[in-house]
């Protein structure tokens, strides 16, 4: 029974990651609000740290504009009500109408709440 429970939780976390990826490409304020913790700490590879409101605003305003995102090498580790997700993000961007490409190693921290898994933390680093 434990195996099925952890498999179901892993699927829930992976679905949350997929939903976040979709929302980064096509932002929706209500859906983002439901998926992201009010205590979000969103770290960029540049060292910039954003709150939930700042992260949502950068996506909704187009200052952070993802055209396409491809995630590879994803691992999911779940301990109690916390999930750690690591992956490599390859993305085409159009930040402030400037086309670009990014390749980053990402760590996502998800917290299991009554409403489901919510993004609590994110840190990106440049791929060496």
């Amino acid at each position: 029974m434990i195996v099925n429970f952890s498999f179901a939780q892993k699927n829930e976390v992976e679905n949350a990651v997929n939903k976040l990826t979709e929302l980064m490409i096509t932002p929706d304020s209500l859906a983002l609000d439901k998926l992201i913790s009010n205590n979000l700490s969103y770290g960029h590879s540049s060292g910039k740290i954003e709150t939930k409101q700042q992260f949502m605003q950068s996506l909704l305003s187009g200052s952070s504009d993802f055209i396409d995102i491809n995630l590879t090498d994803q691992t999911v580790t779940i301990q109690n009500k916390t999930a750690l997700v690591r992956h490599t993000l390859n993305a085409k961007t159009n930040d402030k109408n400037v086309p670009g490409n990014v390749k980053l190693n990402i760590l996502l921290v998800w917290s299991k709440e009554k409403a489901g898994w919510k993004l609590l933390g994110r840190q990106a680093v440049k791929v060496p």
Side-chain angles (χ1 to χ4, degrees):
M1 213 38 134
I2 292 171
V3 172
N4 290 338
F5 180 69
S6 63
F7 182 76
Q9 279 200 316
K10 184 174 185 244
N11 278 347
E12 289 175 11
V13 172
E14 288 172 342
N15 288 338
V17 172
N18 291 339
K19 184 67 176 168
L20 176 65
T21 303
E22 292 169 16
L23 289 169
M24 289 173 70
I25 296 168
T26 310
D28 173 278
S29 60
L30 292 176
L32 282 166
D33 186 56
K34 287 181 184 175
L35 192 63
I36 298 170
S37 168
N38 289 335
N39 297 317
L40 176 70
S41 177
Y42 190 91
H44 293 266
S45 61
S46 65
K48 178 179 169 184
I49 306 288
E50 291 179 324
T51 64
K52 175 181 181 174
Q53 291 74 24
Q54 292 166 327
F55 170 61
M56 287 179 59
Q57 182 57 34
S58 67
L59 286 176
L60 294 165
S61 70
S63 66
S64 183
D65 187 5
F66 290 92
I67 305 304
D68 184 54
I69 297 174
N70 182 35
L71 304 178
T72 58
D73 303 321
Q74 183 164 284
T75 62
V76 177
T77 304
I78 299 172
Q79 182 171 318
N80 300 322
K81 294 183 175 190
T82 303
L84 301 179
V85 179
R86 286 193 177 272
H87 53 234
T88 301
L89 175 145
N90 288 284
K92 290 181 184 171
T93 60
N94 195 34
D95 297 353
K96 298 179 185 169
N97 293 315
V98 178
N101 292 292
V102 293
K103 184 172 184 181
L104 303 168
N105 288 326
I106 307 287
L107 170 63
L108 300 174
V109 180
W110 294 87
S111 177
K112 177 79 172 196
E113 299 182 10
K114 287 180 184 169
W117 290 96
K118 290 200 173 209
L119 182 64
L120 178 61
R122 185 260 200 186
Q123 185 59 57
V125 295
K126 293 180 174 102
V127 174

